Amino acid sequence: QQTIETPRLRLRRPHAADAHAIFTRYSGDSRVTRFLGWRTHRTLADTEEFLAFCADQWARWPAGPLLIESRLDGTLLGGTGLGFETPQQASTGYVLAYDAWGFGYATEALGAMRDRAVQLGLERLYAFCHPGHRASARVLEKCGFLCEGTLRAYAEFPNLAPGVPADVLCYAVRRLASVSG
């Protein structure tokens, strides 16, 4: 399933033609990428590289990265998706354009990712969160993710402190077959 619809959102597989919109809406905006585990895109080529990664993920797994669009007018709002490690376990997350913050889109998109993981029969879905990003932690908790703990000096947040491993909060939903929306 390459497109998922929620009451307000359309989540769809990204394509090469989306590069400019992704770059201008969120991947090139340092306000948006501050707490993310990937560098702010400096050029359109960075976004094109990301889209090549997306195509590879979709070729290898039953799902992958998705774009978040408004069902009302088609505006690109951000990105989400599933990042598979095994057929039973995947990671998720989200990023929203700055002007899409504060409308509940993150909760709606993350809930859709949780539900899709259930449909795919995943055993565990997890997400990392920077300890200083309380708004993101709240979204994870609203969607039924439980904080499993802090992983010390586990991951780099290149837009905060390049090259410095930082602590991360690990949130997860387990036994997804028993989770309901």
Side-chain angles (χ1 to χ4, degrees):
Q1 185 177 2
Q2 297 183 9
T3 302
I4 298 167
E5 292 197 348
T6 68
R8 299 181 299 158
L9 306 174
R10 178 175 298 109
L11 311 177
R12 68 164 177 86
R13 181 178 174 172
H15 301 286
D18 296 313
H20 185 264
I22 292 169
F23 181 72
T24 57
R25 289 289 292 146
Y26 67 88
S27 71
D29 187 338
S30 61
R31 297 169 300 180
V32 169
T33 60
R34 181 173 177 220
F35 286 111
L36 298 181
W38 46 268
R39 288 190 182 284
T40 305
H41 293 180
R42 307 257 187 261
T43 66
L44 194 57
D46 293 337
T47 305
E48 291 166 346
E49 187 176 314
F50 163 71
L51 288 166
F53 167 80
C54 293
D56 178 67
Q57 292 300 296
W58 276 97
R60 295 176 53 209
W61 298 102
L66 295 165
L67 296 182
I68 303 169
E69 296 176 332
S70 166
R71 283 184 64 185
L72 181 65
D73 62 10
T75 300
L76 177 63
L77 301 173
T80 188
L82 298 175
F84 281 82
E85 293 178 5
T86 71
Q88 296 81 33
Q89 177 172 279
S91 63
T92 192
Y94 54 86
V95 56
L96 291 172
Y98 188 73
D99 63 3
W101 292 5
F103 295 99
Y105 298 139
T107 302
E108 195 168 327
L110 187 64
M113 290 301 87
R114 182 202 57 222
D115 294 349
R116 183 68 179 126
V118 169
Q119 293 168 353
L120 292 170
L122 286 161
E123 183 65 26
R124 182 171 188 267
L125 180 65
Y126 73 93
F128 292 140
C129 180
H130 187 280
H133 198 349
R134 190 65 205 135
S136 191
R138 280 193 305 273
V139 168
L140 289 160
E141 292 161 2
K142 279 196 268 187
C143 289
F145 286 70
L146 299 176
C147 186
E148 294 182 326
T150 302
L151 303 173
R152 302 286 177 203
Y154 186 80
E156 179 184 352
F157 290 87
N159 305 307
L160 288 175
V164 178
D167 293 353
V168 296
L169 299 175
C170 183
Y171 282 83
V173 179
R174 297 187 51 186
R175 294 180 205 87
L176 286 165
S178 65
V179 173
S180 62

